[in-house]
């Protein structure tokens, strides 16, 4: 469990390091900065993001879920505003940066861990 968590953290940090090659207005200074930013992004996405999605549920429903992209961009931009060495050029850079970051992270995680497994438990009563 801990090994998997550390591996996901490393994958997210590597995705942040690869991000400036795809979105040039995103800047990451070093691998240590990427590790810190990945940790803060993970904490923000697990603690603050669900609350924001719940609070903006009417807007999210009206936009058929597209407002979640705006929330992701704002949180990405928010993390970049206080992690030194991690910079984002503006809202649209954060918007596309968050999308590309998620895609890179998902693709590498899929390569490392493989497709998700579905376990079916049958109970014969």
């Amino acid at each position: 469990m801990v090994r998997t968590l550390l591996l996901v953290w490393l994958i997210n940090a590597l995705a942040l390091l690869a991000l400036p090659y795809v979105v040039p207005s995103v800047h990451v200074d070093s691998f240590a900065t990427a590790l810190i930013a990945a940790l803060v992004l993970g904490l923000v996405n697990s603690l603050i993001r669900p609350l924001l999605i719940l609070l903006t549920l009417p807007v999210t429903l009206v936009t058929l879920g597209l407002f979640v992209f705006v929330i992701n961009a704002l949180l990405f931009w928010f993390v970049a505003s206080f992690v030194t060495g991690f910079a984002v050029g503006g809202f649209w850079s954060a918007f596309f940066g968050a999308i590309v970051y998620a895609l890179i992270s998902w693709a590498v995680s899929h390569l490392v861990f493989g497709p998700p497994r579905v376990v079916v438990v049958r109970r014969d009563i």
Side-chain angles (χ1 to χ4, degrees):
M1 173 89 177
V2 174
R3 190 181 86 185
T4 304
L5 188 63
L6 290 174
L7 192 57
V8 167
W9 182 30
L10 179 67
I11 288 170
N12 288 337
L14 292 174
L16 272 177
L17 281 177
L19 190 59
Y21 295 104
V22 181
V23 183
S25 55
V26 175
H27 179 72
V28 180
D29 279 345
S30 65
F31 182 67
T33 302
L35 282 172
I36 293 168
L39 178 67
V40 174
L41 272 169
L43 290 173
V44 165
N45 281 333
S46 63
L47 299 175
I48 298 173
R49 185 175 177 261
L51 180 64
L52 284 177
I53 289 176
L54 185 64
L55 290 174
T56 61
L57 191 59
V59 177
T60 304
L61 290 174
V62 168
T63 61
L64 302 176
L66 293 177
F67 193 72
V68 173
F69 289 115
V70 174
I71 292 172
N72 288 343
L74 290 174
L75 290 176
F76 195 77
W77 198 11
F78 172 69
V79 169
S81 70
F82 69 86
V83 174
T84 56
F86 177 48
V88 176
F91 174 76
W92 290 109
S93 300
F95 184 83
F96 293 116
I99 291 172
V100 172
Y101 169 70
L103 289 173
I104 293 172
S105 178
W106 169 79
V108 174
S109 294
H110 187 73
L111 287 174
V112 171
F113 296 115
R117 296 182 193 167
V118 176
V119 178
V120 178
V121 178
R122 275 188 74 176
R123 292 188 180 158
D124 294 329
I125 298 178

